[in-house]
Amino acid sequence: RKEVEQDPGPFNVPEGATVAFNCTYSNSASQSFFWYRQDCRKEPKLLMSVYSSGNEDGRFTAQLNRASQYISLLIRDSKLSDSATYLCVVTPGGYQKVTFGIGTKLQVIP
Amino acid sequence: DTGVSQNPRHKITKRGQNVTFRCDPISEHNRLYWYRQTLGQGPEFLTYFQNEAQLEKSRLLSDRFSAERPKGSFSTLEIQRTEQGDSAMYLCASSPGLAGGNEQFFGPGTRLTVL
């Protein structure tokens, strides 16, 4: 089993739709979780940290399910500008390597 | 601009040559990471520094790869005897670390093409 798994997509959704991505992780000792956004041929940019209690930032909601070992990202009212690849990141904590998922590609269609 | 910077942005080299990339992290960030990314994949962890100490290295980092962060500020990544399979985007990231948080901020990357 991969350390971090994501559905690579692509997810093609119409403008205004709600879309959700999941990311599963295998290390139960993982402590920090993040979602990054990456546009084509650009560097990843931090979108949100994922807290145990869940967190929301405008149209974006991130949640953590430790029991089932996955994190999720929900995007409401999708905009054309949301088209990008969404990478989940899992950090075991301490001095251990950070693991990125393969990324989920989102294409918002007019 | 106080973000992470990387130089050069693009590098084209012939197989067998050595290349060196530089990363300047955000000021006062203790942690510095190097990643490699190829098309259609997420960034793959290469190595990590806490200040000047290199604390973790991936098995991906063969003996042809070496990284340094001599004064705990900028870092260099050197690839010796480059191979075509080394062609990729090399990304650097920094984070405050410890109580400052684990969020990483990425530089624009160095795109390496080995002919």
Side-chain angles (χ1 to χ4, degrees), chain B residues 7-110:
Chain B
N7 287 288
R9 295 289 305 277
H10 302 274
K11 179 69 178 179
I12 300 173
T13 192
K14 292 183 179 178
R15 190 176 52 187
Q17 298 295 305
N18 299 344
V19 294
T20 300
F21 310 142
R22 175 177 170 129
C23 171
D24 287 87
I26 293 171
S27 241
E28 298 179 357
H29 274 194
N30 295 315
R31 295 182 177 177
L32 187 147
Y33 302 79
W34 284 100
Y35 295 88
R36 180 173 68 188
Q37 187 174 26
T38 52
L39 194 64
Q41 301 296 316
E44 293 177 292
F45 171 86
L46 293 178
T47 191
Y48 150 64
F49 290 85
Q50 172 81 25
N51 298 314
E52 67 275 8
Q54 188 174 18
L55 295 182
E56 187 121 8
K57 289 173 62 173
S58 166
R59 283 172 291 182
L60 291 173
L61 214 66
S62 76
D63 56 4
R64 296 186 298 106
F65 288 70
S66 61
E68 295 182 342
R69 194 183 183 196
K71 297 181 180 179
S73 56
F74 74 91
S75 175
T76 57
L77 177 68
E78 180 182 16
I79 309 174
Q80 296 181 326
R81 304 182 303 281
T82 52
E83 301 173 356
Q84 288 184 324
D86 297 332
S87 296
M89 175 73 86
Y90 289 84
L91 293 162
C92 174
S94 69
S95 72
L98 301 174
N102 291 327
E103 293 90 346
Q104 295 184 33
F105 298 87
F106 282 81
T110 296

Side-chain angles (χ1 to χ4, degrees), chain A residues 2-3 8 32 34 36 38 41-46 48-49 51 87 89 91 93-103, chain B residues 9-10 31 33 35 37 39-45 48 50 55-56 58 89 91 98 102-109 111:
Chain A
K2 288 184 179 179
E3 293 180 68
S32 301
F34 306 93
Y36 280 75
Q38 187 171 28
R41 302 183 75 82
K42 298 285 189 182
E43 74 273 22
K45 292 189 186 294
L46 179 66
M48 302 178 76
S49 302
Y51 304 123
L87 298 157
V89 178
T91 304
Y95 302 119
Q96 298 183 49
K97 72 182 183 74
V98 173
T99 304
F100 277 75
I102 193 172
Chain B
R9 295 289 305 277
H10 302 274
R31 295 182 177 177
Y33 302 79
Y35 295 88
Q37 187 174 26
L39 194 64
Q41 301 296 316
E44 293 177 292
F45 171 86
Y48 150 64
Q50 172 81 25
L55 295 182
E56 187 121 8
S58 166
M89 175 73 86
L91 293 162
L98 301 174
N102 291 327
E103 293 90 346
Q104 295 184 33
F105 298 87
F106 282 81
R111 185 169 295 281

Side-chain angles (χ1 to χ4, degrees), chain A:
Chain A
R1 182 182 176 185
K2 288 184 179 179
E3 293 180 68
V4 178
E5 293 199 65
Q6 290 185 259
D7 182 341
F11 284 59
N12 297 313
V13 302
E15 267 187 292
T18 296
V19 62
F21 311 132
N22 280 347
C23 169
T24 59
Y25 60 95
S26 60
N27 185 346
S28 59
S30 298
Q31 295 184 13
S32 301
F33 308 88
F34 306 93
W35 283 103
Y36 280 75
R37 170 193 169 126
Q38 187 171 28
D39 293 292
C40 189
R41 302 183 75 82
K42 298 285 189 182
E43 74 273 22
K45 292 189 186 294
L46 179 66
L47 181 65
M48 302 178 76
S49 302
V50 187
Y51 304 123
S52 296
S53 56
N55 49 310
E56 185 173 316
D57 182 3
R59 297 182 294 108
F60 298 83
T61 300
Q63 293 192 315
L64 166 64
N65 185 317
R66 285 195 181 272
S68 300
Q69 294 184 204
Y70 73 87
I71 63 173
S72 63
L73 178 67
L74 181 78
I75 306 175
R76 290 181 296 277
D77 188 23
S78 299
K79 311 290 185 191
L80 295 175
S81 58
D82 294 334
S83 298
T85 296
Y86 291 85
L87 298 157
C88 75
V89 178
V90 176
T91 304
Y95 302 119
Q96 298 183 49
K97 72 182 183 74
V98 173
T99 304
F100 277 75
I102 193 172
T104 296
K105 186 171 183 179
L106 172 66
Q107 185 70 45
V108 180
I109 303 164

